[in-house]
Amino acid sequence: MKTFINMLRDDSGASAAEYALILAIVGAGIAVASFTLGKDISTALGTAGTCIKSAPGTGCQAAAAAPAG
């Protein structure tokens, strides 16, 4: 009975659970950031490809040089 009570009082597994929760939150943040960044990079590369294919003087140079905002 004493062993069972000592196991109930032991909280060493709690720190492992906390670390797992932190890891899950950080992992979810990285996944969301990479998804968003991937979409932005895809859009930028698509715009650059369109400008490269277009004829000179169509305004792509001015659009590419303008700051995003």
Side-chain angles (χ1 to χ4, degrees):
M1 187 69 172
K2 215 176 213 187
T3 305
F4 181 70
I5 292 173
N6 286 337
M7 283 191 333
L8 289 177
R9 291 185 182 165
D10 185 21
D11 61 352
S12 62
S15 61
E18 291 167 358
Y19 285 130
L21 182 62
I22 291 170
L23 184 63
I25 291 170
V26 169
I30 289 172
V32 169
S34 66
F35 181 74
T36 303
L37 187 60
K39 285 176 56 177
D40 290 342
I41 289 173
S42 177
T43 302
L45 289 176
T47 303
T50 302
C51 283
I52 290 170
K53 290 178 188 177
S54 68
T58 58
C60 260
Q61 293 81 11

